[in-house]
């Protein structure tokens, strides 16, 4: 599904890496590398309309027109799993700022608990790319979006490997200004509020930790 606010990328390479990510038998090293590649593809789509200004560059042969990125961009990984998307996005945007917000889901209630907030008091970025491999109930992303909006970020975009339709609908409904760039939209959540079919627990699979 793609509309002006939700971009579910339909690229064969994205589908290829998504198959590796979904597969329960994929070892950690390969899971990380597939997340890395898919994140880079998502990053290309999420930055398609960045502003530039004209400049002139001198090649070894002549002067020619060139472009300079002008938007101030912040990457906002949601700890912990969002860290897995930082490096690929920094490959594309080496001058981006990285701002960390830490949340974990309470296992009984599936509601997010804040434990770290490293946004400065002033000077918000122009565009924030919220990074998290999974959007399940949407509780974590909605807290982060709320925090960034309160900080004063005018343009907030969520980059996620897999989103569940109910969670996506929830965040879209509450924050009509936010755009989403996702690798897949899965239909449902199970009784434990895990995305089905999903990919399991992205944080555990990226960091090779046992699932709770
Ligand atoms: C996972 C995931 C998201 C959140 C999604 O993190 O990485 O942050 O849950 O769920 P939600 O949409 O229902 O809020 P988790 O709480 O497992 O923490 P982790 O990143 O430390 O593994």
């Amino acid at each position: 599904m793609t509309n002006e606010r939700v971009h579910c990328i339909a690229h064969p390479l994205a589908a290829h890496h998504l198959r590796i990510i979904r597969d329960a038998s994929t070892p950690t090293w390969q899971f990380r590398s597939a997340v890395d590649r898919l994140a880079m593809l998502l990053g290309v789509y999420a930055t398609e309309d960045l502003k530039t200004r004209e400049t002139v560059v001198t090649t070894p042969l002549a002067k020619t027109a060139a472009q300079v990125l002008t938007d101030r961009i912040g990457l906002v990984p949601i700890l912990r799993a969002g860290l897995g998307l930082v490096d690929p996005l920094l490959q594309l945007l080496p001058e981006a700022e990285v701002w960390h917000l830490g949340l974990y889901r309470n296992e009984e209630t599936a509601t997010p608990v804040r434990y770290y907030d490293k946004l400065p008091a002033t000077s918000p970025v122009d565009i924030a790319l919220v990074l998290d491999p999974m959007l399940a109930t949407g509780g974590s992303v909605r807290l982060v979006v709320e925090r960034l909006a309160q900080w004063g970020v005018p343009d907030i975009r969520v980059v996620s490997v897999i989103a569940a339709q109910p969670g996506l609908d929830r965040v879209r409904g509450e924050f009509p200004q936010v755009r989403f760039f996702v690798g897949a939209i899965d239909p449902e959540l199970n009784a434990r509020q895990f995305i089905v079919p999903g990919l399991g627990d992205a944080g555990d699979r990226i960091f090779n930790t046992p699932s709770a």
Side-chain angles (χ1 to χ4, degrees), residues 160-178:
S160 195
V161 170
I162 295 185
Q165 189 73 63
L168 187 58
D169 291 344
R170 176 187 180 195
V171 186
R172 283 177 67 204
E174 199 174 346
F175 300 99
Q177 76 278 23
V178 173

Side-chain angles (χ1 to χ4, degrees), residues 4-36:
E4 71 284 1
R5 291 182 46 212
V6 179
H7 304 260
C8 183
I9 67 173
H11 193 291
L13 291 178
H16 173 80
H17 297 304
L18 196 57
R19 192 245 322 147
I20 294 167
I21 289 167
R22 285 193 189 275
D23 190 335
S25 70
T26 296
T28 304
W29 65 267
Q30 196 182 14
F31 185 88
R32 272 189 214 125
S33 111
V35 166
D36 207 81

Side-chain angles (χ1 to χ4, degrees), residues 9-182:
I9 67 173
H11 193 291
L13 291 178
H16 173 80
H17 297 304
L18 196 57
R19 192 245 322 147
I20 294 167
I21 289 167
R22 285 193 189 275
D23 190 335
S25 70
T26 296
T28 304
W29 65 267
Q30 196 182 14
F31 185 88
R32 272 189 214 125
S33 111
V35 166
D36 207 81
R37 286 160 194 179
L38 183 54
M40 203 175 280
L41 289 165
L42 289 166
V44 168
Y45 285 86
T47 53
E48 223 169 18
D49 61 344
L50 294 188
K51 291 193 201 68
T52 60
R53 73 172 160 74
E54 296 245 334
T55 186
V56 173
V57 68
T58 306
T59 78
L61 300 176
K63 286 186 187 299
T64 187
Q67 306 288 320
V68 181
L69 282 174
T70 55
D71 286 314
R72 186 171 156 223
I73 298 165
L75 305 180
V76 186
I78 304 181
L79 307 178
R80 158 190 73 142
L83 291 174
L85 308 185
V86 173
D87 282 352
L89 268 294
L90 281 176
Q91 294 283 327
L92 297 174
L93 298 161
E95 289 168 19
E97 300 172 30
V98 184
W99 298 108
H100 298 85
L101 294 174
L103 302 174
Y104 69 88
R105 271 197 347 177
N106 176 304
E107 276 157 30
E108 322 253 279
T109 62
T111 53
V113 180
R114 300 170 207 251
Y115 62 88
Y116 192 71
D117 184 322
K118 199 64 181 167
L119 297 183
T122 55
S123 188
V125 293
D126 300 316
I127 299 174
L129 299 180
V130 176
L131 309 179
D132 196 326
M134 299 198 301
L135 188 161
T137 67
S140 304
V141 163
R142 73 159 294 289
L143 270 189
V144 168
V145 168
E146 188 175 65
R147 178 74 179 92
L148 293 171
Q150 173 198 57
W151 186 31
V153 181
D155 185 337
I156 302 171
R157 307 174 184 195
V158 175
V159 175
S160 195
V161 170
I162 295 185
Q165 189 73 63
L168 187 58
D169 291 344
R170 176 187 180 195
V171 186
R172 283 177 67 204
E174 199 174 346
F175 300 99
Q177 76 278 23
V178 173
R179 282 192 278 164
F180 301 83
F181 297 85
V182 300

